[in-house]
């Protein structure tokens, strides 16, 4: 199984020598408050949309300041397109990466999250935390410089609220892995009505695409 | 990567048609109260020891009744032997499964846990939930008949207390997988001393062997 398929984690060693491999990242850097940035409406009019600082400020206006150590994930609705590669990569010619088109993050928004909110992980429900059509991978570069992990191909974001969840990102402990498939999941508070009292219970929500046969493992990077 | 290597989960479909594949097991069946049955002293005098009902009653005498939906794991100390296959399988001739020797569960103890305590998962820090030297796999058979998962090769049990933890078993969502490597971890209450008050915080404890190169992936089943 390839390390960088479907729902997976990229480790900082993916691009930089001396930065942590997947087996070196402690569990404490794999769990955090979930912050889901919904840009579905913007993506509906621009499939190449990049999340901006404005979107983050808008989230904070509704839900309060993004807590330290958060796991911040872009929700574009793209996860519904999996596993068809032509839809996932936004191109009939998906073998040619230059034709790809999907939403992701702007470097300005990522810089803001790292320097002002000290997040522990950044994610997307698309194939990459970097927009395609750039000459470089500025978001990967910026994250890995600070030893921050990237989550790609996160799924089922309709089940996770904008705030209030805890997101768990347990990748396989692959020795010297540059990344790993991961069973990402969230705990979500659920208000129960019981004998006239409200009780809060925790529900578990899956955030994964299922891995298919060798066909998909081989073809989706 | 093979599905049944090092720290991993066996799905009921591993042996029975019509029982759940790994992708069909809901997350709610992957999280439960941790019950660690320490048989280190018995294993010191008998490396082929099988956990008995008596060991479970002894645990309950100390810590109270095993709760419904528990994740019950034998702690034999064997996890310290990984990854050397001669030590893990208890044989210099570890390519020959008939020579294997390691501790695990007796079928009587497993029957008791399933019928009287309704556990959701059974584990070992050795390579199999079944003892070797039998003509069959009675524990696998009994677990899978009730669609219960088996955890094999669980590690780092010195960091997880006998009771009080929550154990998370998130395997990869492998479509039609008979099992999966999993990043098993536990949340453990930790009493903090802060300004004269005791506060309880949650610490995360890893319960995994790290996956090594192709050498180990190929050779350890």
């Amino acid at each position: 199984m390839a390390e960088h398929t479907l729902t997976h984690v990229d480790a900082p060693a993916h691009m930089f020598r001396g930065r942590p491999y997947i087996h070196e990242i402690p569990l404490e850097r794999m769990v955090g408050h979930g912050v889901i940035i919904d840009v579905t409406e913007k993506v509906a009019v621009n499939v190449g949309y990049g999340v901006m600082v404005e979107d983050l400020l808008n989230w904070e206006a509704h839900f309060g300041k993004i807590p330290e150590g958060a796991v911040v994930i872009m929700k574009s609705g793209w996860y519904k397109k999996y596993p068809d590669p032509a839809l996932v990569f936004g191109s009939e010619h998906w073998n040619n990466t230059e034709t790809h088109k999907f939403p992701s993050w702007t470097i300005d928004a990522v810089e803001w999250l790292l320097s002002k909110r000290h997040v522990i992980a950044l994610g997307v429900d698309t194939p990459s935390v970097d927009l395609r059509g750039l000459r470089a991978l500025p978001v990967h570069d910026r994250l890995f410089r600070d030893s921050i992990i990237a989550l790609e191909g996160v799924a089922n974001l309709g089940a996770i609220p904008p705030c209030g969840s805890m997101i768990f990102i347990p990748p396989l402990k692959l020795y010297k892995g540059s990344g790993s498939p991961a069973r990402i999941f969230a705990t979500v508070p659920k208000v129960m009505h019981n004998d006239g009292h409200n009780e809060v219970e925790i529900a578990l929500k899956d955030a994964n695409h299922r891995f298919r046969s060798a066909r998909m493992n081989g073809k989706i990077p």
Side-chain angles (χ1 to χ4, degrees), chain A:
Chain A
M1 186 193 306
E3 291 169 3
H4 300 277
T5 47
L6 296 174
T7 307
H8 72 278
V9 176
D10 277 355
H14 195 28
M15 285 175 60
F16 288 112
R17 263 172 207 276
R19 289 286 183 282
Y21 289 103
I22 201 79
H23 80 275
E24 294 175 316
I25 301 168
L27 279 170
E28 287 73 14
R29 306 284 294 178
M30 302 279 185
V31 182
H33 292 281
V35 170
I36 309 295
I37 308 295
D38 189 340
V39 292
T40 310
E41 290 182 14
K42 290 181 175 173
V43 170
V45 294
N46 175 11
V47 294
Y49 186 75
V51 183
M52 302 197 299
V53 174
E54 180 193 305
D55 297 308
L56 302 170
L57 295 173
N58 191 36
W59 189 95
E60 291 198 340
H62 282 82
F63 305 111
K65 190 175 173 181
I66 292 171
E68 290 246 337
V71 175
V72 183
I73 302 176
M74 173 192 76
K75 174 186 172 184
S76 69
W78 212 259
Y79 64 92
K80 296 172 189 168
K81 298 180 188 283
Y82 284 73
D84 184 323
L87 295 176
V88 168
F89 293 110
S91 165
E92 288 296 327
H93 309 286
W94 51 272
N95 278 313
N96 177 1
T97 59
E98 292 190 8
T99 67
H100 290 181
K101 195 152 200 182
F102 48 75
S104 193
W105 288 89
T106 66
I107 184 64
D108 288 352
V110 174
E111 179 60 44
W112 189 87
L113 281 171
L114 267 62
S115 60
K116 305 226 191 274
R117 295 295 180 268
H118 310 111
V119 304
I120 62 158
L122 185 87
V124 282
D125 59 355
T126 57
S128 176
V129 290
D130 267 299
L131 291 162
R132 288 288 155 95
L134 306 173
R135 294 210 169 268
L137 298 170
V139 173
H140 281 84
D141 187 275
R142 181 67 188 84
L143 293 176
F144 296 161
R145 200 146 33 90
D146 276 13
S147 298
I148 303 292
I149 55 177
L151 319 180
E152 295 173 338
V154 182
N156 199 28
L157 291 176
I160 304 178
C163 73
S165 72
M166 288 295 291
I167 297 184
F168 293 75
I169 316 155
L172 299 181
K173 206 169 177 178
L174 299 173
Y175 182 61
K176 294 210 171 182
S178 64
S180 169
R183 182 69 177 263
I184 300 173
F185 64 93
T187 56
V188 173
K190 184 171 68 168
V191 176
M192 307 288 289
H193 300 279
N194 184 9
D195 296 323
H197 297 283
N198 287 344
E199 291 184 9
V200 176
E201 195 182 74
I202 299 297
L204 290 164
K205 300 295 177 186
D206 212 347
N208 284 251
H209 294 294
R210 68 185 192 189
F211 286 84
R212 292 165 72 89
S213 61
R215 191 185 79 85
M216 289 304 299
N217 285 339
K219 286 190 179 168
I220 291 211

